[in-house]
Amino acid sequence: MSFLLEKAECNKAAFHHLKQLKLFAAAIHCGYYYCIQKIIHILKEYYTEEYNRGLQSLKGGHGNRHRFYIEEFSSILTNNRKEQREVRSLLFQLRTLRIAADYEDSEVSDVNIEAVGDGINKIQRLIRKNLHL
Amino acid sequence: MTIQAFIEHSFLRIQQVFPNVAIAYQYVANAETHFIKVTPKSIFDYEQFIDIDFELTDLFNQQGFSEILCFVSSDALVTIDQPSKVYSPKPNSSYIEWFQYQETIATTVNISIPLAEIKQQTPESSFPDSFSCRNLSLSIAA
């Protein structure tokens, strides 16, 4: 197993553990990074050329990298446009929640955390269905 | 094209094909993301709406905006609670006619069930305060 995938799995375990401890903001952080690390691993491992080419053409800061990972990944995941759109939207929403959880002076409720868990599960299901990973 | 012009164009494009959907727009500055929420979900999942979603996303990317565009519906993880632009559809004529018809039925058909007509029989149960449905006989006035 690659170190990146191992770290992704740690973040997934941390998400569930932190959720149980009701440490919701930290759980959202780990849930988002689980998804991002998993998709970077998939892009690097199975779509190396597209990944390298895309990274070279990138301008701007770190935020642009996440946008690239999400857009590139949703387009290669499946030819089904409804699923492409679903993954893209879910990942961008998770990114927004992660930024709010990390930096904003606002509470994260248990309602949010359940929705985040469902979103992560949906992404996992689509990866398993389309890439068998 | 400015981002405001793009959002305006997106609203018009969606309304043009789906005049009965509700649309809300909110920019989340921290995440540099423009959210467009379209409800109901059933329309959001239409093939024709997916075409518009891809068309607008392509146009957004062609403009070279540095932010992110994200379409969501009623099942969104994020909360669109402070939209800066909203479109709410007016009920179309067939809806209005349907509601008027329902009102007419409600005012002209008066079904009354006089309580005095409900007879209570002695319950067979050993618990006198409770009785089963079979022990109640109802006679409804015509």
Side-chain angles (χ1 to χ4, degrees), chain B:
Chain B
M1 186 185 254
T2 62
I3 190 67
Q4 285 85 359
F6 174 81
I7 297 302
E8 189 65 36
H9 168 79
S10 302
F11 268 59
L12 290 173
R13 183 75 185 96
I14 296 167
Q15 286 167 47
Q16 186 185 29
V17 184
F18 297 105
N20 288 323
V21 295
I23 316 168
Y25 162 73
Q26 187 169 323
Y27 179 60
V28 179
N30 273 358
E32 297 181 320
T33 303
H34 301 273
F35 285 100
I36 296 180
K37 183 176 180 178
V38 176
T39 47
K41 178 87 166 89
S42 54
I43 300 284
F44 187 77
D45 290 336
Y46 267 23
E47 199 59 41
Q48 217 178 344
F49 185 80
I50 296 174
D51 287 342
I52 295 174
D53 181 325
F54 274 77
E55 176 195 311
L56 293 173
T57 302
D58 286 346
L59 180 63
F60 184 89
N61 291 336
Q62 282 164 21
Q63 301 302 311
F65 295 126
S66 57
E67 304 95 5
I68 289 164
L69 174 69
C70 186
F71 285 94
V72 296
S73 190
S74 48
D75 58 349
L77 305 180
V78 292
T79 312
I80 310 296
D81 54 356
Q82 292 175 322
S84 57
K85 190 173 169 60
V86 174
Y87 168 75
S88 305
K90 291 184 183 75
N92 65 29
S93 59
S94 60
Y95 277 134
I96 292 167
E97 281 165 18
W98 186 83
F99 281 118
Q100 282 171 345
Y101 175 67
Q102 293 299 310
E103 274 180 29
T104 313
I105 293 175
T107 50
T108 54
V109 182
N110 183 16
I111 302 168
S112 61
I113 306 169
L115 287 173
E117 294 291 332
I118 302 174
K119 291 178 190 167
Q120 187 178 341
Q121 291 180 347
T122 311
E124 291 169 9
S125 161
S126 57
F127 301 98
D129 290 333
S130 66
F131 45 84
S132 70
C133 290
R134 274 178 294 168
N135 295 330
L136 260 185
S137 72
L138 297 172
S139 58
I140 301 166

Side-chain angles (χ1 to χ4, degrees), chain A residues 67 81 85 89 93 95 104, chain B residues 31 44 51 53 67 77:
Chain A
R67 180 181 171 178
R81 293 188 319 151
R85 187 178 69 150
S89 180
Q93 289 182 72
R95 176 180 172 275
E104 281 177 19
Chain B
F44 187 77
D51 287 342
D53 181 325
E67 304 95 5
L77 305 180

